[in-house]
Amino acid sequence: MGQLIIILCTAFYLIIMLTSTRSAKNDISFLVDTTDDVSQDEFYQIIDFIYNITSRLIIGPNDSMVALVTFNTSPKTQFHFNDISDKSSLLDAIMSIKNNSLTGTRETHLALNHIGDNIYVSSQGMRTDAQSSMLLITYGKSQSPTQTQFAAFFLSSTVQAIYVIGVGSMMYDPTERTDFPNIASSTENIFYIEEIPYLCHYILNITIKLDSNATQSEVDGCPEITTTSTTTTTIPTTTEMETTEFTYSTVLTYSTELTYSTELTYSTELTYSTESTYSTDSLSKEQTSDRAIIVVSVITVVLVLVTVIVGITVIYYLLKYRKRKRCLELITVLAREYPDMKNGLGPSRVKYIETKHEYKNVHSTKFHTFLKLSMISNGTKIVCR
């Protein structure tokens, strides 16, 4: 029993060490809107955005694997997880998507169903021991919001992290993004980017969410976010300042910087401060989530170990009971075969008795070691070992 306890404790320690290290494997899929709500040039910038994220990931069978699906009226798989094994070919495949034509309606629910049925399946390269993440890049609300909500609900049972990145001028209209919270796995995974040239400012933040070990470098040639006024050049009154601050607070709830940047001509530095706060909060919540996973893993391991120990103890006593039961059965046979045992065999005689008749054919010959006749002054005593 002592050796068994040492082995269990060693296994417990190893499991704790393994669970404390976050898995680097992640099956990442991009779901890209190809309707004509953006221009061809803007679509090129969106593909560059995906290219820059992927180029910073560590690609390989023990790291991240990437799949990509485009959609409008119907979805189309561009490549599965197991279609491309090396990073260079993967980046080339992403750039080739720039040749897609922009047309059709936005049937987001069909695209989400396609992801669950055709991408996150073992036959197409999905790994059961990997994390799963999906990035939806779209330009507005789905044509069927209710069906999209149901499709996202079912997909969430397969994909752990679902991100929604709304891009383009339609994001200025709040009604075009009402179904995003029903798709994303959390409100922290929703991004609104009204000006597509500023997509490059979000590459590093999203890449770190997908893989904390990814290359963390800024994008060369990314344009600065400028603040211009298109409505008035007068200095706001006190009442206008209060109204503007309320609008700014509302925009923070939806995690965007660009809406208020076009209204406030006097708070350029405030934009940078907002980005820093968002990044810190995101990392803090991600660390809290990791700690929760470790605690749950430790509790699970402890429960398993307790169950194993209890099971071993029960089996030990069942075997001991079975041995004693067979011993008593053998006593009955011996009493029948050696009637003179009842009269005693002497005060100091010690003898092992082996069964030699029909009982030997039924049970193993080793059972005779369970019996010992200890002679005492008043007769014979049979002891079961």
Side-chain angles (χ1 to χ4, degrees), residues 227-289:
T227 57
T228 57
S229 175
T230 58
T231 55
T232 181
T233 56
T234 59
I235 299 176
T237 63
T238 303
T239 304
E240 289 172 339
M241 288 283 289
E242 293 174 353
T243 304
T244 302
E245 290 177 358
F246 176 77
T247 304
Y248 164 73
S249 176
T250 304
V251 171
L252 278 180
T253 303
Y254 288 94
S255 305
T256 182
E257 294 82 20
L258 300 177
T259 298
Y260 63 80
S261 68
T262 58
E263 299 173 0
L264 301 180
T265 59
Y266 48 86
S267 59
T268 304
E269 294 182 358
L270 192 57
T271 301
Y272 173 79
S273 175
T274 303
E275 285 185 344
S276 299
T277 303
Y278 174 79
S279 177
T280 302
D281 291 345
S282 299
L283 292 175
S284 176
K285 291 179 180 178
E286 186 173 351
Q287 292 172 354
T288 302
S289 175

Side-chain angles (χ1 to χ4, degrees), residues 97-170:
I97 298 171
K98 288 185 175 182
N99 298 325
N100 281 34
S101 59
L102 304 178
T103 185
T105 58
R106 187 176 299 106
E107 305 295 341
T108 311
H109 66 289
L110 296 179
L112 296 176
N113 289 332
H114 181 84
I115 287 284
D117 296 338
N118 299 280
I119 301 300
Y120 286 97
V121 290
S122 299
S123 60
Q124 302 299 343
M126 184 198 75
R127 297 165 294 180
T128 56
D129 60 340
Q131 301 178 70
S132 53
S133 304
M134 187 201 77
L135 281 77
L136 167 63
I137 302 176
T138 186
Y139 319 129
K141 184 172 63 176
S142 169
Q143 294 294 315
S144 305
T146 302
Q147 295 183 50
T148 298
Q149 182 176 357
F150 278 111
F153 174 77
F154 288 116
L155 183 61
S156 64
S157 63
T158 303
V159 181
Q160 298 168 351
I162 300 177
Y163 300 86
V164 179
I165 305 173
V167 299
S169 59
M170 293 177 67

